[in-house]
Amino acid sequence: MAVELKNGICWVGAVDWSIRDFHGYETPRGTSYNNYLIMDEQVTLVDTVKHSFVSDMVGNIERLVDPAKIKNVIVNHIENDHATSLGAVMRLAPDANVYITEKGKKGIARFFDISKWNINVVKTGDTLNIGGRNLVFLETPMLHWPDSMMTYIPEDKLLISQDGFGQHIASAERFDDEYIHAHSQAELDDAVADYYANILMPFGSIIKSKLAEVQKLGLDIEMIAPDHGVIWRKFPQKIVQDYLDMADGKADLSVAIIYDTMWRGTEMMTVPLTRGIIDEGVACRVVKLRANARSIAVKEFWKARGALIGTPTLNNLMFPTVASFLAYLRGLKPKNRIVGAFGSYGWGGGGVKNVYEELGKTAVEVYEPGIEAHYRPDPDDETKAYEYGRDFAKKVKEYHGQF
Ligand code: FEO
C-alpha cells in the first residue's frame, strides 16, 4: 500500500520481511526497498525495487496512476536491490525519460538493453522541472557505489537519499517516529549502526566531505527518505549528526570481545577479561563468532572504542571463523579503534600471533602483547586475564583515536 510522505509524494516500495542474508550480510530485521512516486504535472518515479518485489511496486503505483503515465524515472543508484525492476518499469512506460549519472548509465547497460531508452545523464547541480517542483541532483560517488546520487526537492524540503541514512529494517512503520513508538530509539540506533558499520564504514571521509558539500549548498532539509528502512520525518537532523559522528569514528566507551573457541579454553578466558574491563568502569559486549553472523560482530566492533579478538590455535593459525571475521573487517578499512588479542593453544601456539599479523594490515591501533593460556586457563591465568582486562580498559579510556 502506498504511503504519502509529502503532499503528492508517495512511498511505493516493498517490505522484505524474510530476508536474512543480504549478499552475505546478515539482516536479522529484514529490510525494505523504498522508492517514491511524485504525482506532479509530470509523474516521476524515483528508484525502483529488487526484482522479486516488482509486483508490489507496480501494484502500489497502479493504485495511484496508470504506470504508462510515468514521464520521468530517476535512477539514484543501480545496485540490484534498487534497479533490477527498472526493465519492468520501462516496459510499462517505454517513453519515460531516465535521469542517471554517467557511471550509472554505463552500469545499467550491463543489466538492460538501454538502446531505446531516453537516457539523460545528470551531474551535481542539474535540475529537472516536473511542473510544480524542481528536482535537484547531487552526485554521491561511493555512497554507496560509484554511480550513486541523491535527489533533493526544494519545494518539499525533501532529500531522497538512496542508501545513505538507511537501515535494514522490515517494519509496518514507514517513519522514524512511528518506529520508535512501536519499538524503541535504541532499536533504531542499533539498526543505523549495523547498516553504517557493514556498508559505509570504509567511506567515512567521503561522507564527511559530501555532508560538508550539502551544508555549503545550504539545502533546507525537512525530511530524508532513504531507499531502506524508515523515513526520517521527525529526526532528520539527528541522523545527519549521527552520520557526522560515525564518519568521525566516534564510539562508545566500551569494549567488544569477539572470539571463537574449540574446547572452551579461549571462551573461559572471556570471563575474567570481562570482569577486569567492567571493574574499570568500561562497558563490555561479548560476541561468539560461531553463534553470530560476521555482520553482527562487525556492528559490535564498530560501536565499541576497543576490541579484544579471541582465538584458539588450529594448525598453528587462528581459528577459521576468526580469520573470516578479520578478512571481512579488513575490507571495511577500520580505524580509530584500539584492538588486542587473546587465546589458547595446545601444542605449539600461533593463533594469537596470527591475529596480530592480520590486525597489522589494518589502520587500527594494535594493543600488544596479547595474552594466552595453555589448553585452558588455570587460576593463575584467570588472574592474569583479569589484570589484562583492567589494563586494556584503562588504555581504552585514554584512547581517543585520530580525531
Ligand atoms: Fe541498497 Fe547499494 O544498495
Side-chain angles (χ1 to χ4, degrees):
M1 179 184 163
V3 177
E4 192 169 61
L5 51 144
K6 288 274 184 179
N7 190 23
I9 302 180
C10 292
W11 175 93
V12 289
V15 180
D16 191 343
W17 296 96
S18 58
I19 189 168
R20 292 294 179 271
D21 180 342
F22 193 97
H23 61 43
Y25 159 39
E26 179 93 351
T27 45
R29 299 178 179 91
T31 195
S32 68
Y33 312 107
N34 301 340
N35 70 327
Y36 304 95
L37 188 72
I38 308 172
M39 300 292 290
D40 209 308
E41 283 170 35
Q42 295 180 13
V43 176
T44 298
L45 184 68
V46 184
D47 296 323
T48 67
V49 297
K50 188 175 171 181
H51 59 91
S52 38
F53 291 85
V54 66
S55 62
D56 297 50
M57 175 190 68
V58 172
N60 288 337
I61 294 171
E62 282 174 339
R63 285 171 180 79
L64 298 167
V65 69
D66 175 357
K69 292 200 164 60
I70 294 172
K71 177 76 175 166
N72 307 303
V73 178
I74 314 301
V75 182
N76 278 333
H77 182 24
I78 65 165
E79 192 166 2
N80 304 35
D81 48 332
H82 307 295
T84 40
S85 293
L86 188 54
V89 168
M90 294 308 290
R91 282 192 290 280
L92 292 166
D95 296 327
N97 294 303
V98 174
Y99 293 85
I100 192 166
T101 62
E102 182 69 47
K103 287 209 166 81
K105 181 184 173 186
K106 281 187 187 146
I108 210 71
R110 304 294 297 170
F111 294 88
F112 302 106
D113 175 4
I114 62 169
S115 57
K116 294 192 175 61
W117 294 6
N118 303 318
I119 300 250
N120 301 269
V121 170
V122 294
K123 55 187 186 320
T124 293
D126 287 351
T127 61
L128 171 67
N129 180 269
I130 60 170
R133 296 175 174 84
N134 294 285
L135 310 190
V136 183
F137 304 114
L138 177 68
E139 292 168 280
T140 55
M142 298 319 296
L143 305 177
H144 160 229
W145 274 13
D147 62 280
S148 295
M149 69 173 184
M150 297 184 184
T151 299
Y152 175 65
I153 309 174
E155 292 78 8
D156 297 290
K157 300 180 182 173
L158 170 66
L159 180 70
I160 300 178
S161 59
Q162 44 95 21
D163 277 343
F165 310 112
Q167 334 88 48
H168 282 309
I169 287 177
S171 64
E173 303 79 27
R174 296 273 65 78
F175 299 99
D176 52 355
D177 54 307
E178 291 177 340
Y179 188 84
I180 292 164
H181 179 69
H183 304 271
S184 69
Q185 181 73 57
E187 181 79 11
L188 184 53
D189 288 346
D190 189 73
V192 168
D194 182 83
Y195 186 93
Y196 188 98
N198 282 281
I199 297 173
L200 298 172
M201 193 196 298
F203 309 122
S205 55
I206 301 175
I207 288 168
K208 275 168 72 173
S209 65
K210 196 45 73 175
L211 286 174
E213 192 181 317
V214 169
Q215 283 168 337
K216 208 167 159 187
L217 288 170
L219 305 185
D220 190 1
I221 297 171
E222 198 174 82
M223 186 183 289
I224 298 176
D227 279 5
H228 295 290
V230 298
I231 295 163
W232 303 94
R233 74 172 173 190
K234 180 89 173 169
F235 302 111
Q237 284 80 21
K238 179 185 182 317
I239 188 63
V240 170
Q241 187 58 52
D242 286 351
Y243 262 56
L244 285 167
D245 290 345
M246 289 190 289
D248 267 341
K250 288 190 180 150
D252 300 341
L253 176 56
S254 65
V255 171
I257 292 187
I258 297 163
Y259 78 99
D260 217 328
T261 197
M262 289 172 70
W263 291 106
R264 299 205 60 242
T266 301
E267 187 166 67
M268 289 167 76
M269 294 176 77
T270 64
V271 178
L273 283 168
T274 53
R275 196 64 254 163
I277 292 164
I278 290 165
D279 283 354
E280 276 300 320
V282 174
C284 187
R285 290 186 288 270
V286 181
V287 181
K288 180 178 177 179
L289 286 165
R290 280 218 305 299
N292 291 279
R294 276 192 310 267
S295 50
I296 304 288
V298 159
K299 175 191 68 179
E300 296 302 342
F301 175 92
W302 173 248
K303 286 166 75 171
R305 198 183 292 176
L308 291 174
I309 311 298
T311 186
T313 294
L314 179 65
N315 300 326
N316 300 114
L317 295 172
M318 63 182 143
F319 199 63
T321 50
V322 180
S324 166
F325 167 72
L326 288 176
Y328 180 52
L329 182 68
R330 188 178 156 204
L332 292 167
K333 300 184 172 57
K335 55 185 180 184
N336 295 322
R337 298 292 185 273
I338 181 165
V339 188
F342 67 98
S344 60
Y345 63 96
W347 312 333
V352 168
K353 177 170 170 272
N354 194 199
V355 167
Y356 278 113
E357 285 165 358
E358 284 303 303
L359 291 175
K361 296 172 188 169
T362 74
V364 301
E365 180 153 325
V366 175
Y367 179 82
E368 290 185 282
I371 184 169
E372 291 180 273
H374 190 208
Y375 283 118
R376 53 172 30 204
D378 62 14
D380 188 42
D381 291 323
E382 285 183 357
T383 302
K384 285 180 185 159
Y386 173 82
E387 292 303 333
Y388 188 89
R390 285 197 83 133
D391 290 344
F392 183 68
K394 282 179 197 155
K395 204 77 184 166
V396 168
K397 285 194 279 191
E398 292 163 7
Y399 181 71
H400 295 289
Q402 302 117 22
F403 305 123

